Structures are given as structure tokens and as C-alpha cells.
Amino acid sequence: MGKKRKRKFSSPASELNTSTPNDLQPAQSASGHTVNHSRLLFLVKWAPLIIILLGVLTFSRGMSGQFMSDDSQQITNNPLVQSMSNIGKLFSGSTYFDGVKLVGNYYRPLMTALWAILYSAFGANPVPFHVVQLALYLLTGVLVFWFFRFSFKPLLALSLALLFLVHPLNSQSVYSISALQDVLFMLFGMLAMWVLLRFDSRKSLIYVAALLFLSLLSKETGILFVFMSVIYLYLFDRQRTGRLALYVAAPLALYLALKAHAVGLGTHPQEGPIDSLGLWGRLATSPSIILFYLAAFVWPVGLASRYYWTYPSISITHFLLPLALDLIALGAVIYGAKVVKRNLPHGDYLTYWFFAAWLGLGLAIHSQVIPLDMTACTNWFIFPMIGVLGLIGEMVKVLTKHWPSWQRLGPAVLVILLCALSLGSFLRGFDWRDQETLASRDIAAAPAGNSAAYLTLSAENYKQADYLQAKKYAQNSIGIFPTYAAYNDLGYDLLKLGDYPGALDAFKQGLKLYPLEDTYVGIAEVTSLYGGYLTNSALLTDALKHYPHNSMIWIARAILDI
């Protein structure tokens, strides 16, 4: 691939191509005592194995979890991902199957292609899906370690990588099969960054561009790695900036063309309260979103799988106070830059701002300037977390320089942190064992606003033939935020309870939001039990216009015409 880059990128740009850092050689501490790092050589040499073993121990509990939530429409009820022969079709659509075709607003063909391979090999068995996803996440953890090695000594780089690995905010990226997109885009993106830092040939930039393209095909958020690649070169190696832009241009244009053909270039899902708001309402909610992620990083307790709150109006509690705390955090980052500038080489100062940009971009893209289908989601912090950990790493350098005893205290603090975070992620695996447990946990974590969790409980109670309770949960979901899926479920609940007028009305309300095939099938069932000929004839005629292939609708039409 070209000449290997042996320097850490915290070194000044002019020194990037010089000698290998002697991180493992004995050094003089600030107190004058020799610090022998040879005892750490074993840990550093076997760092990938340490990462893998700790990851397996931490996430083993979640490997037996069921297919849940979005997995139904994306995998178990999606025939297009159940055969490798359909992989080509997966590049021309979104991820959800509506009974006829792939639908949705997001373009993640590498995720669905991998599902097709796994389903073809193992069928509807969730365990292989979990195992492969964990393996890819562990590989990402190893790449994070290699990436941090360009900025930090081996033990510090390993410590930061382990914190990334076991942090409960990232546990959903392992336990949720639908979150494979996050693991994939991080895997290819971190590999692209590693190649960019490790090699300096022209050919290596072709590999970087290809990996960035794969990251984008995994999830749209892969664009962040494109930005960070440019920022890195601007700060440390400007000679290659133009050439990288040249090599990235073609893959980026191809990606945009593929996405435009498959789902369009817009990303307005209109599936949650936050994306039903205008720009001002979303911006008014943004301070609380940023504060949520920062607070959850520090204290990752009581997590839900998804969040739907909105604060569209200005208030002290939900806007001014979060904004003030966010500004305090921003001030701390700026002050940290001054501390690094005073105490560390110029290369560390640039590195500090590199990680600050990483964190800032990661938070900005999830702050709802561009509307998303949820207000917040824990696995969305997987990218910004690299920025936070990088900033922490630079501050640890300062701390070690001025507080030599930290070299003895630091490992103890690290062990405590790793044990606590690893335990939190392990226990989180119990929440992901089945739909009902996860939904109940989500409601407990956000009782006033999780419409999706209530909808999940409605579906679970319907399966158990508890239609009255299913109806109550569907109504709770609609009361928080009405969706076509909630109206569809309510229609079937009322149909089972014999409330045919109510069922028909619920189905009609759902059709106003989206012409779901299952909703038309429900209407077909209602017409065989309730309503006049003219009304039912018009309903079935409309259903057949949308889904002429559906046999259930044709049977209902035949019964009506007898």
C-alpha cells in the first residue's frame, strides 16, 4: 500500500514521516524516577486478544436474544433478504418490506446484503446474526485501539479502546440486530482512518476512498468519516488533501446516484414526534438532545433503546437549562485546549482539536437539524464517543505530566471503570432477551413518550390473544404519536373484539398516513362482517388498485359480489 507511517499523528505535521516512537522504552517521569514500560509489553502485544476476550465476556448474555422490533419487517417477514440471489435487488431499495417491495427512507444495502448471506446460511435463527455482529464490533474495537496508537502510548490507547468497547451506550449496537448498520459503518470508517494515518502513498488513498464508500453503503452517517479524513489531512498532511478529494469524488457521486435511485436524497421519515416538527421546533429540542448524550456517557444508567421526547417551545427547564449546561461543556473543551497548548507539544494541541471536531460533528449530525425518526438513540453516540475518548486521552497526558502518582492511581481507576461499565453492558443484555422485556424497560425509562414501546406491547399481547390489553397499548401509542402502524394494530385489536365500526375507522385513519398492505387486508376482513355493499365495494376497489396481487382482497371481493 505504500510507505508505512511510523509517527503518532499528535506529532507536528513536519515530523510525520520520521522515526518510530519508542513508547515501550524506559522513560523519565516528572519526578525523575525511571518508568519501565517493559512490564506492559505483554498487554500491548496481546491487546487485540484482550479486547476480544473482554468483549465476549461483556456481551455474551445478549447472544441468545430473539429477532425484535424492526427485525420483523427487515428480516423475518422480508423475503428479499432471505436469499443471496436477491442481493442485487437490495442495492435498489431501502430496508423494510411492505409486502411488495422494499420501502423506507434510508439506504443501507451492505447491512441487508449481510443479512441475506446469514439468512441463506442459517435461516431464521437469530444466534448467528448476533455472533457475527459481535465479531464485527470486536474487530471495530481493535481498530479503535490501532487508531488511538497514533496519538497515545500503548497502555493509554488500550485503555481508551476498552472503554469504547464496554460502554453501555454502545451495547445496543451489539444486542440489536437492526443496529448492524452502526457496527458496519464504524468498522469501515475506522479502517479507512487507520489506513489514512498508517500509509502515505497515492495508492493508499484509493483504499481509503473505497473504505469510505463501504462505510456510506452501510449507513448514511459514514459521511462523517469523509469529513474527518479531510480534517485530518488539513491539520497534519495538507499535501494529500487535494488528492484524497479527487479519489473520493467518484465513489461519493456513485453513492449519491445509487441512493437517489433507491430511496431519493431526502431523509424525512415522518415516523416520530421530532420529525413532525419544523426546523425551529427541532432546534429548540437540540440542547436537551446534546445534554442527553453527554450525561449518558458520564452516567449510563436507566437507558432505553429509543427516545421520542420533544420540546418545541422555549422553557427554562427544557431549553435554557440544557443550553447553559451544553455551553459549560463547550467552555470546558475550549479551556482544555488551552491547557493542552500550555503543557504539551504543538502536535498534541492539533490532535486535541481533531478529536473536538470529531465530537462536534458527531453530535451535530444527530441534533435534529436534519430530521431523524427518533429524538435520540443510544447507538447513535458510537461515533461521537471516539471524539470524547480522544479528548480524555489528551487530558490524561497533561495529568500524567503534572501528577506522577497518577501512573500508580490510574490503573486502579481504569479497572473500576471497566468493571462498572462492563457490568452495565452485561446487564443490559437481559433487557434484549425478548420484545416484551425490552418494551417494558423502555417505558420505565421514558414513561411519558415512548409510542414505539407501547406499540410493541400491543403486538405482543395480540399474539397472546389478549386483545383488550393489546387495544389499550395501541391507544396509548396513538395518544403519544399516531402512526399508520399503531392504527393498523388498533384496527386488528378491535376486529378481534367485534367492534367492526371501530376497526374500520382505525384502518381508514391508518391509510391516511400510509397505504399499508396489511391494513387493506384488515379492511377486507371487515367487509365480510360489516358494512353495506356500495361502501365495501369502494373500499375493496381501492385496495385492489394498490395491491392487485393480494389473494385475500380478491377473496373478499368475490364474497361481496356473491
Side-chain angles (χ1 to χ4, degrees):
M1 226 184 286
K3 181 179 178 181
K4 288 186 177 180
R5 186 179 305 280
K6 296 293 188 179
R7 287 292 292 184
K8 301 176 289 182
F9 78 86
S10 58
S11 301
S14 61
E15 299 178 5
L16 279 173
N17 292 315
T18 57
S19 59
T20 304
N22 57 348
D23 290 328
L24 293 178
Q25 300 301 317
Q28 293 292 323
S29 69
S31 61
H33 299 294
T34 298
V35 180
N36 192 343
H37 295 292
S38 61
R39 290 178 298 178
L40 303 176
L41 182 60
F42 176 82
L43 292 178
V44 174
K45 181 179 179 181
W46 296 99
L49 182 60
I50 294 171
I51 290 170
I52 291 170
L53 289 177
L54 181 58
V56 170
L57 289 173
T58 299
F59 299 108
S60 58
R61 179 61 189 84
M63 295 302 97
S64 59
Q66 303 173 2
F67 288 113
M68 293 190 289
S69 188
D70 293 339
D71 300 342
S72 174
Q73 282 182 281
Q74 294 189 120
I75 302 174
T76 56
N77 294 326
N78 184 356
L80 292 180
V81 301
Q82 295 174 6
S83 172
M84 287 192 293
S85 63
N86 295 322
I87 286 181
K89 297 178 181 178
L90 300 178
F91 280 79
S92 60
S94 188
T95 62
Y96 293 91
F97 187 70
D98 69 350
V100 179
K101 61 185 184 301
L102 291 173
V103 297
N105 297 278
Y106 300 115
Y107 187 58
R108 286 99 190 245
L110 284 192
M111 175 181 71
T112 50
L114 180 54
W115 283 341
I117 295 171
L118 292 173
Y119 199 98
S120 297
F122 303 103
N125 179 3
V127 174
F129 287 78
H130 284 300
V131 172
V132 169
Q133 188 159 329
L134 174 59
L136 294 175
Y137 179 73
L138 297 179
L139 180 56
T140 302
V142 174
L143 288 170
V144 169
F145 166 69
W146 289 345
F147 174 71
F148 279 141
R149 279 288 288 113
F150 287 95
S151 298
F152 309 113
K153 289 181 180 293
L155 182 59
L156 180 54
L158 178 59
S159 301
L160 296 173
L162 291 177
L163 290 173
F164 170 87
L165 180 79
V166 302
H167 200 288
L169 279 179
N170 289 342
S171 63
Q172 186 167 329
S173 296
V174 181
Y175 294 136
S176 172
I177 293 174
S178 298
L180 175 62
Q181 56 197 350
D182 295 289
V183 178
L184 284 176
F185 104 83
M186 285 295 296
L187 174 66
F188 291 119
M190 292 306 301
L191 186 55
M193 294 301 301
W194 180 80
V195 172
L196 184 66
L197 272 63
R198 184 64 169 166
F199 304 96
D200 59 6
S201 69
R202 294 181 179 180
K203 186 178 180 181
S204 68
L205 293 180
I206 298 176
Y207 288 98
V208 171
L211 289 167
L212 292 174
F213 180 59
L214 293 176
S215 182
L216 282 166
L217 290 177
S218 302
K219 189 178 181 182
E220 294 84 350
T221 318
I223 192 65
L224 292 175
F225 283 108
V226 177
F227 293 147
M228 292 314 305
S229 297
V230 173
I231 291 174
Y232 164 74
L233 292 179
Y234 177 79
L235 291 174
F236 296 101
D237 197 0
R238 295 186 187 181
Q239 299 178 35
R240 297 198 295 162
T241 306
R243 190 165 296 277
L244 177 65
L246 179 64
Y247 288 153
V248 170
L252 185 58
L254 176 59
Y255 167 76
L256 291 174
L258 290 171
K259 186 177 187 298
H261 171 72
V263 299
L265 295 179
T267 57
H268 200 292
Q270 296 183 332
E271 294 177 356
I274 188 69
D275 62 305
S276 67
L277 299 177
L279 177 60
W280 171 249
R282 299 197 306 275
L283 290 178
T285 308
S286 291
S288 64
I289 296 172
I290 295 172
L291 181 61
F292 163 78
Y293 286 120
L294 297 179
F297 174 79
V298 176
W299 189 253
V301 177
L303 300 176
S305 64
R306 55 188 72 185
Y307 296 85
Y308 292 94
W309 79 83
T310 58
Y311 303 127
S313 58
I314 302 298
S315 69
I316 294 177
T317 304
H318 299 307
F319 179 80
L320 294 179
L321 180 59
L323 180 61
L325 294 174
D326 291 342
L327 291 175
I328 290 174
L330 176 60
V333 170
I334 296 173
Y335 178 75
K338 295 181 178 179
V339 172
V340 170
K341 187 175 184 179
R342 287 198 303 264
N343 293 278
L344 297 177
H346 182 65
D348 284 289
Y349 179 67
L350 295 179
T351 300
Y352 183 92
W353 280 116
F354 172 82
F355 285 120
W358 191 300
L359 172 61
L361 283 174
L363 288 175
I365 203 170
H366 295 110
S367 64
Q368 301 296 337
V369 175
I370 300 174
L372 304 171
D373 53 356
M374 292 175 278
T375 303
C377 188
T378 56
N379 47 296
W380 290 351
F381 198 69
I382 190 171
F383 180 92
M385 190 179 293
I386 299 293
V388 175
L389 292 172
L391 294 177
I392 291 173
E394 288 297 329
M395 296 311 298
V396 168
K397 283 186 178 181
V398 175
L399 186 64
T400 303
K401 179 179 179 180
H402 291 284
W403 189 15
S405 60
W406 174 257
Q407 295 183 11
R408 295 187 297 272
L409 180 62
V413 173
L414 174 66
V415 170
I416 293 172
L417 278 176
L418 288 177
C419 288
L421 294 175
S422 182
L423 179 61
S425 290
F426 178 82
L427 294 176
R428 187 76 172 125
F430 288 91
D431 297 338
W432 285 91
R433 60 179 177 264
D434 57 61
Q435 288 266 41
E436 192 167 1
T437 301
L438 181 63
S440 299
R441 184 69 187 84
D442 284 352
I443 291 173
N450 205 319
S451 58
Y454 281 111
L455 188 58
T456 296
L457 289 178
S458 175
E460 290 301 303
N461 278 269
Y462 184 89
K463 292 178 184 177
Q464 299 165 15
D466 188 351
Y467 305 119
L468 185 60
Q469 190 63 45
K471 167 194 167 184
K472 292 179 180 178
Y473 283 132
Q475 289 173 331
N476 286 341
S477 179
I478 292 170
I480 296 171
F481 184 73
T483 62
Y484 65 86
Y487 278 118
N488 184 67
D489 282 16
L490 178 61
Y492 277 101
D493 297 334
L494 295 172
L495 183 61
K496 290 293 186 180
L497 291 170
D499 184 357
Y500 305 128
L504 186 59
D505 182 65
F507 287 137
K508 288 180 178 180
Q509 292 296 325
L511 291 178
K512 292 179 181 179
L513 299 174
Y514 184 80
L516 188 68
E517 182 177 17
D518 195 41
T519 301
Y520 279 115
V521 172
I523 287 178
E525 290 189 42
V526 173
T527 60
S528 65
L529 300 167
Y530 170 80
Y533 176 84
L534 293 178
T535 300
N536 289 347
S537 177
L539 290 170
L540 293 175
T541 299
D542 182 55
L544 289 171
K545 286 180 180 178
H546 285 85
Y547 299 99
H549 69 284
N550 191 284
S551 59
M552 296 293 294
I553 301 175
W554 279 110
I555 291 173
R557 179 77 223 198
I559 292 174
L560 181 66
D561 290 336
I562 292 175

